[in-house]
Amino acid sequence: MRLIRFTTEGHDRTGCVESTSDGDLVRAYDPVTGPGAVVGPLDGVRLLAPCDPRTIVCVGSNYACQLKEKGRPWPERPHLFLKAPNAVIGPGQPILHPPGVERLEYEGELAVVIGKTARNLTVENATEHIFGYTCANDVTAHDWRADGQWARAKSADTFCPLGPWITTDLENGDLKVTTRLHERTVQRSTTGEMIFSVPRILAWVTRWFTLRPGDVVLTGSPAGVGPMKPGDEVTVAIEGIGELTNPVHARE
């Protein structure tokens, strides 16, 4: 199932996407009763970020191809950092390029959305706490990270695009992950290249953080991280999920 949050007629709603011979339709969705009445075509609503996390935990240096590209050592355990909830935006919303930043980077990633309260998980039971998966762009102001300002570098407004929806029935073991800058592919890998699998990540994260429904874990970005500038358009595409596209605008 593909679950969305969307705006129509001035109201924010939750829905699901249904594929038909006439195209994708949006149905109202209730977590208790399930799909409801047809709202209209998918292209007739404005998509929001598919969840509203209180906590966003991220894993760095989690792809073998990126370690090789950067010449970094193999990690013994997941490297964690946080993004603030104010950074979340949805599909089509602009990523704002802060003034004075010389290098603003895209980082396409698989995002895990938590379905029930998760604390001290094990590798064996971790997937029981997953609601689904979505695409993410871990936007980073490289200048600020280089001078040690990680919170600012990762958590400025608009630095966490999520979407286009949450896919709930997906095996995450070996999915194609690509990032395009306009039409040029700049990242290409599969989740099979992740050093730490999703269950191992969740087991490690929940030793330190209690995750609640709607919280998000970003699983790392493959090789090819690079700069974007105002006027660019960035698309993160993940097999079995879909495509998340955001333009880049200058922040006034």
Side-chain angles (χ1 to χ4, degrees):
M1 183 177 290
R2 293 177 289 170
L3 297 177
I4 61 172
R5 293 170 64 238
F6 65 98
T7 295
T8 183
E9 298 178 349
H11 299 286
D12 294 352
R13 302 176 63 182
T14 301
C16 61
V17 180
E18 176 184 323
S19 295
T20 73
S21 58
D22 296 322
D24 287 337
L25 296 179
V26 174
R27 287 187 178 273
Y29 181 82
D30 183 275
V32 176
T33 60
V38 172
V39 175
L42 179 61
D43 59 11
V45 303
R46 182 170 68 85
L47 293 179
L48 305 171
C51 56
D52 186 20
R54 298 197 320 172
T55 302
I56 306 166
V57 184
C58 310
V59 180
S61 301
N62 194 37
Y63 275 78
C65 56
Q66 190 192 58
L67 293 181
K68 182 178 179 180
E69 177 188 51
K70 302 291 186 182
R72 294 172 180 166
W74 202 267
E76 295 182 3
R77 54 186 179 271
H79 294 168
L80 305 182
F81 59 90
L82 299 174
K83 291 178 86 76
N86 62 278
V88 172
I89 57 173
Q93 291 184 264
I95 298 166
L96 299 180
H97 193 298
V101 169
E102 294 295 327
R103 184 180 173 96
L104 186 69
E105 296 180 334
Y106 55 78
E107 297 188 35
E109 308 198 11
L110 174 71
V112 181
V113 183
I114 299 301
K116 57 183 179 180
T117 299
R119 181 186 302 111
N120 291 323
L121 301 184
T122 65
V123 172
E124 291 72 27
N125 70 10
T127 56
E128 299 171 13
H129 296 73
I130 296 172
F131 181 66
Y133 301 88
T134 192
C135 304
N137 188 345
D138 176 19
V139 177
T140 306
H142 177 77
D143 312 34
W144 296 340
R145 179 175 56 184
D147 70 10
Q149 296 291 326
W150 272 71
R152 185 169 57 136
K154 292 288 188 177
S155 296
D157 292 346
T158 77
F159 277 21
C160 189
L162 297 173
W165 39 65
I166 299 169
T167 299
T168 60
D169 47 355
L170 184 69
E171 295 292 332
N172 67 73
D174 196 26
L175 305 174
K176 294 177 183 177
V177 179
T178 60
T179 303
R180 300 193 304 272
L181 194 63
H182 297 294
E183 294 303 316
R184 180 170 61 93
T185 298
V186 289
Q187 291 185 287
R188 188 195 307 271
S189 187
T190 75
T191 56
E193 279 209 55
M194 291 199 304
I195 296 164
F196 301 103
S197 66
V198 169
R200 290 186 66 190
I201 290 169
L202 293 182
W204 179 252
V205 168
T206 59
R207 289 179 64 181
W208 324 110
F209 303 95
T210 297
L211 300 177
R212 294 178 171 82
D215 286 345
V216 170
V217 177
L218 273 56
T219 57
S221 192
V225 170
M228 52 188 175
K229 61 184 185 303
D232 285 341
E233 183 178 81
V234 183
T235 298
V236 178
I238 300 180
E239 181 182 10
I241 300 176
E243 297 189 350
L244 167 67
T245 299
N246 299 88
V248 183
H249 292 179
R251 180 169 183 169
E252 302 297 336

